[in-house]
Amino acid sequence: MLSKVAVVLNEKLAMFEFGVVCEVFGLDRTADGLPGFDFRVCGAEPGTPLRSTTPGVTVTPEFGLDELVRADLVAIPASPIVVDDEYDQRVVEAVRAASEAGATVLTVCSGAFLAGAAGLLDGRKCTTHWRYVDKLAARFPGATVDPDVLFVDEGNLITSAGTAAGIDACLHLVRREIGSAAANGIARRMVVPPQRDGGQRQFIEQPVPECRTDSLSSILSWLTENLTHPHTVDELAARASMSTRTFARRFAAETGTTPVKWLTTQRVLFAKHLLEATDLPLERIADQSGFGSGALLRHHFQRQVGIAPTEYRRRFGAPAEER
């Protein structure tokens, strides 16, 4: 059973991510029939204030690191100092010891870097905020980093993406260990959905791969201005005065992708813009972005963004008065 929860803090902790863990596990909701947790905030030097990323705000952990090894759950909120590889070895060793003693470790956002420093990511799947996924993968090559999901459950290790994804991970753990009724009850008190759909792909800014030289720049510019036209690699090669094989090879070398994938990404990006800024019907957006049909737009949009175009518009579309 999930009973004792220890949150380990580092210097320059992120207040929202810390607050997420406090909100799920730190509030006494037993009067509402919800489970109670023995919740303890821990640091390397109990009683010593730690700076947060919010100017003028500090947090003072009441308990020391010895509480971690006795916890059922060790939660690690985000901290940019962890991303910058400035680990407090006392904290690293305490997290490692707690995991070895049988605790589940849950990380929020960049907290995954501390779990990696403790050796908990090797040979396992994990995630973090989409801005940090490449850095996490480079720092811990033994890990398999999934950039798309809201959280990854690896049994005694749960890693979550940025900020609000920590709520999803915490509620998932409650559901897994205590049941859906408890998770739903906590979510209702927090006024959040007990389980969200989709992943973090919908939030990621995905620029179109840029051409590394000037030799194809005119072709790429022309393509972005003529998305509505059907294009073939043969036609693009002829426009560039190259053979089809040479054009395809040069395109991949200079952009890192194929002409078809480049064009599809450009069309999806333009469709995202139209969904955010206009109230055009889906078929019109499909025409203007070059997909030709709503079905084809939905297929490629879902594949790249992770949610349907209509759901994307609901979440990110500007109010009518701002269009």
Side-chain angles (χ1 to χ4, degrees):
M1 291 293 292
L2 180 60
S3 178
K4 183 174 180 178
V5 179
V7 184
V8 58
L9 300 185
N10 292 278
E11 192 72 33
K12 293 191 68 177
L13 65 110
M15 291 300 298
F16 186 94
E17 286 78 354
F18 172 54
V20 163
V21 180
C22 294
E23 183 73 21
V24 175
F25 300 107
L27 297 186
D28 184 359
R29 299 186 176 98
T30 54
D32 295 334
L34 296 172
F37 302 98
D38 180 358
F39 184 77
R40 307 199 173 190
V41 179
C42 308
E45 298 179 4
T48 300
L50 293 171
R51 293 175 298 159
S52 75
T53 54
T54 304
V57 177
T58 62
V59 177
T60 303
E62 182 180 355
F63 298 94
L65 297 175
D66 55 322
E67 294 291 336
L68 271 61
V69 76
R70 294 191 284 270
D72 303 309
L73 170 66
V74 173
I76 307 174
S79 174
I81 203 167
V82 172
V83 178
D84 294 335
D85 208 11
E86 298 179 20
Y87 306 112
D88 185 327
Q89 288 304 309
R90 295 172 296 177
V91 176
V92 173
E93 292 169 6
V95 170
R96 183 184 301 119
S99 178
E100 292 174 351
T104 296
V105 174
L106 183 148
T107 71
V108 183
C109 193
S110 61
F113 286 81
L114 178 54
L120 305 186
L121 302 185
D122 292 343
R124 312 182 84 172
K125 294 180 180 179
C126 61
T127 194
T128 188
H129 192 289
W130 58 266
R131 292 183 62 186
Y132 303 139
V133 290
D134 290 340
K135 191 169 187 178
L136 186 69
R139 181 82 57 80
F140 306 107
T144 301
V145 182
D146 189 335
D148 297 333
V149 296
L150 294 175
F151 63 85
V152 174
D153 183 346
E154 281 279 285
N156 65 347
L157 173 69
I158 297 177
T159 53
S160 66
T163 312
I167 300 175
D168 300 288
C170 290
L171 292 175
H172 166 76
L173 179 60
V174 172
R175 185 180 304 108
R176 189 188 79 179
E177 296 297 318
I178 304 176
S180 295
N184 292 345
I186 294 173
R188 190 174 298 112
R189 281 286 302 271
M190 294 175 64
V191 197
V192 298
Q195 191 167 354
R196 287 193 295 168
D197 60 338
Q200 61 173 332
R201 269 183 294 171
Q202 59 193 290
F203 304 103
I204 299 175
E205 297 177 3
Q206 295 178 319
V208 176
E210 295 182 358
C211 185
R212 301 189 185 104
T213 70
D214 294 332
S215 61
L216 295 179
S217 295
S218 60
I219 293 293
L220 301 190
S221 297
W222 181 81
L223 278 172
T224 57
E225 295 170 2
N226 294 273
L227 292 177
T228 58
H229 301 306
H231 300 289
T232 67
V233 177
D234 288 343
E235 292 171 348
L236 295 175
R239 175 172 284 273
S241 300
M242 300 179 190
S243 69
T244 301
R245 180 175 297 180
T246 298
F247 176 79
R249 185 173 61 250
R250 182 77 61 79
F251 197 99
E254 296 187 11
T255 67
T257 188
T258 67
V260 172
K261 289 181 179 179
W262 191 96
L263 184 58
T264 299
T265 299
Q266 182 73 67
R267 285 171 168 163
V268 168
L269 286 172
F270 188 63
K272 288 174 71 174
H273 165 71
L274 294 177
L275 289 166
E276 292 174 10
T278 76
D279 56 1
L280 290 172
L282 198 63
E283 291 294 334
R284 285 281 305 280
I285 291 177
D287 286 338
Q288 291 193 20
S289 58
F291 286 110
S293 71
L296 200 56
L297 168 60
R298 283 189 288 269
H299 169 76
H300 288 291
F301 198 95
Q302 179 84 41
R303 190 171 184 177
Q304 286 203 18
V305 184
I307 57 175
T310 51
E311 180 62 17
Y312 184 87
R313 167 174 273 168
R314 187 183 70 80
R315 297 183 185 185
F316 299 100
E321 60 271 16
E322 296 181 11
R323 293 171 187 162

